[in-house]
Amino acid sequence: MKSINFKRKEASNFEGAVQTKKTPKKPKNWDRIIYISILLIILFFIGKYFVGQAFYIEAVGQVRFQDVKFRNTDDSRIMEFHREAGDAVKVGDSLFTYINADQYGEMNQGFSLEGTYSIVQAKQSSQSWMEREMYNLEKDISIKESTLIENQKLIDFYAQQAKKIEEQIILDVVPKSEFTNNIDRRNKLIGENSALEAEINVYKKQYESLARKLEEVNQIGLTSNSGTGQGTDSLRKLFKSPMEGTITELYKSEFEVALKSENILSIHKPENVYIKAFFNQEDLKELKEGDIVKLEFPDGTKSDGFIKKFYFSTYLIPDEFQNRYDPPTRTLSADVFPVNTEDLKKWRKFYKMRVKITKGKF
């Protein structure tokens, strides 16, 4: 009788050796790998945060210059700048030429020749500033007259709409507030036009005054008498630099009037670069004058500094460092200076930029 056995015999090679079955490789579980990787990254940043909180103090700072701002002793009109922002100057270098001026640009007498002021020969004729002012006045008058015309068109339009709105109110189509809003808009434009007309009249009077004075200058020929000391050239003065340094900023433009209460330009010395630091109030117990801090600039450059001075009162953190929706933060303010004076050259190029400040607690 046949044996019924459906189990296959193990395959054997020609030498009779039994061949073992190969177990297939398990596929990689990519979901698990990605999950573990994300978890490790999160744990790394959490650990870094707690280590930073436990062992380091972090703050923000801003590179600043201790600059000197210069003003004139009288109201004056700046005629020409001889240096630009960023230029290095020495004691006695010419900074700008000016003349005394009133609201119409008229030149007044009575300049003091003391200190760093001296009379210089003008490079431009006396008519140049008058012609420039007249041109600006013409432009302003033209713009305001155009605005006046556009406003009048809107006033006429609102007047026409008022009649239609009255009819619609009677029919109970629109509320009465629509009529009130229409009247308010029209009255606002009427008031604006009244102000524009007053400004235009003032500008026209100034223009006429300048035109008369320009005609007088042309008739008398003041520019040809500059050699005798009677022309406008003899009224021009030169402001010279009383210190050595670099021009930080020009606050005025050529032909602009500078009141004696207004800054014209500022100069800083290269060694007067520092960082204004803003520390959290709770870090006060960990800070003292003379502490060394680590600085990191926006381009990744690193440097060492030391806390030179603390301020007694707290200061609001600058707007650019304040989170938009957070309440205003009052911080401890300190001045940080470089440990190595050679780093001043690096610091200067980051003027008004953000600096990351780190200090160890232990």
Side-chain angles (χ1 to χ4, degrees):
M1 187 173 179
K2 279 188 177 181
S3 171
I4 301 173
N5 187 358
F6 295 99
K7 185 177 179 182
R8 296 181 179 179
K9 295 181 179 180
E10 294 180 347
S12 61
N13 57 11
F14 63 95
E15 294 178 351
V18 178
Q19 294 181 349
T20 59
K21 294 182 179 179
K22 294 182 179 179
T23 57
K25 292 183 179 180
K26 293 182 179 180
K28 292 183 179 180
N29 191 335
W30 288 106
D31 292 340
R32 180 180 295 177
I33 293 173
I34 294 172
Y35 171 76
I36 293 174
S37 300
I38 293 174
L39 182 61
L40 290 174
I41 292 172
I42 293 173
L43 290 175
F44 170 77
F45 283 106
I46 292 175
K48 184 179 179 181
Y49 172 78
F50 282 106
V51 169
Q53 291 290 316
F55 297 99
Y56 296 97
I57 294 172
E58 291 189 354
V60 294
Q62 190 177 53
V63 180
R64 296 185 180 180
F65 296 153
Q66 288 181 339
D67 52 6
V68 179
K69 295 178 174 59
F70 290 93
R71 303 174 182 175
N72 214 337
T73 54
D74 296 299
D75 296 342
S76 58
R77 181 179 292 276
I78 307 301
M79 303 306 295
E80 182 181 3
F81 279 104
H82 303 292
R83 294 290 190 276
E84 299 293 336
D87 290 349
V89 295
K90 297 180 180 180
V91 177
D93 284 352
S94 301
L95 297 180
F96 59 87
T97 303
Y98 70 95
I99 58 173
N100 266 9
D102 59 16
Q103 61 177 333
Y104 300 110
E106 298 181 57
M107 295 163 290
N108 301 321
Q109 301 292 339
F111 278 89
S112 172
L113 302 182
E114 299 176 355
T116 59
Y117 302 98
S118 62
I119 298 177
V120 296
Q121 185 176 3
K123 294 182 179 180
Q124 297 178 339
S125 65
S126 60
Q127 293 96 330
S128 60
W129 60 268
M130 290 186 182
E131 292 171 350
R132 181 183 289 268
E133 287 299 312
M134 291 172 67
Y135 170 76
N136 290 333
L137 286 170
E138 284 182 338
K139 183 172 65 175
D140 291 340
I141 290 171
S142 177
I143 293 172
K144 292 184 181 300
E145 286 179 342
S146 299
T147 306
L148 195 68
I149 293 171
E150 293 299 322
N151 285 351
Q152 188 58 49
K153 290 180 181 179
L154 285 174
I155 291 171
D156 296 339
F157 172 76
Y158 288 139
Q160 294 174 1
Q161 287 292 105
K163 296 178 181 178
K164 295 180 180 179
I165 293 173
E166 285 179 348
E167 295 174 356
Q168 292 175 345
I169 291 173
I170 294 172
L171 297 174
D172 201 21
V173 176
V174 296
K176 293 182 180 179
S177 59
E178 187 68 23
F179 181 78
T180 305
N181 293 337
N182 182 282
I183 296 298
D184 290 341
R185 288 193 290 264
R186 187 173 60 180
N187 291 339
K188 183 179 179 181
L189 288 172
I190 292 173
E192 185 178 339
N193 274 6
S194 298
L196 285 172
E197 289 173 353
E199 290 180 3
I200 291 171
N201 290 333
V202 172
Y203 287 166
K204 286 182 176 179
K205 288 180 181 179
Q206 292 179 358
Y207 183 87
E208 292 171 0
S209 175
L210 284 172
R212 288 194 300 269
K213 293 182 182 300
L214 181 61
E215 186 178 356
E216 291 173 2
V217 169
N218 291 332
Q219 290 176 355
I220 299 174
L222 289 176
T223 54
S224 62
N225 297 327
S226 59
T228 63
Q230 300 298 322
T232 58
D233 293 349
S234 64
L235 297 176
R236 300 200 179 201
K237 307 294 183 290
L238 188 66
F239 192 99
K240 296 182 179 180
S241 176
M243 60 180 287
E244 182 178 355
T246 303
I247 296 178
T248 309
E249 188 173 358
L250 301 179
Y251 299 102
K252 295 293 179 180
S253 304
E254 293 182 353
F255 297 99
E256 188 175 359
V257 173
L259 303 179
K260 59 184 178 182
S261 60
E262 296 178 328
N263 297 322
I264 298 176
L265 56 81
S266 59
I267 297 176
H268 81 274
K269 292 184 177 180
E271 62 271 18
N272 285 350
V273 181
Y274 70 103
I275 292 174
K276 193 79 166 178
F278 302 95
F279 293 96
N280 294 327
Q281 297 184 36
E282 55 268 22
D283 295 331
L284 177 60
K285 60 183 178 180
E286 306 290 345
L287 299 169
K288 64 180 182 298
E289 293 183 358
D291 283 349
I292 304 297
V293 295
K294 300 291 183 181
L295 308 170
E296 185 175 348
F297 296 92
D299 66 343
T301 304
K302 296 183 179 181
S303 181
D304 292 333
F306 70 95
I307 299 174
K308 186 175 182 179
K309 179 178 67 174
F310 275 102
Y311 291 87
F312 291 106
S313 58
T314 57
Y315 286 80
L316 284 174
I317 194 169
D319 292 338
E320 56 266 35
F321 300 158
Q322 178 75 41
N323 292 329
R324 184 174 181 181
Y325 299 105
D326 289 349
T329 305
R330 299 198 69 86
T331 59
L332 298 171
S333 183
D335 291 344
V336 177
F337 284 77
V339 173
N340 188 352
T341 54
E342 293 181 358
D343 290 344
L344 287 171
K345 295 180 181 179
K346 300 179 184 177
W347 291 23
R348 288 172 58 187
K349 61 183 181 180
F350 299 107
Y351 178 57
K352 286 292 182 74
M353 293 188 186
R354 183 190 184 104
V355 181
K356 182 180 177 182
I357 302 172
T358 308
K359 177 191 174 296
K361 291 185 178 181
F362 306 102

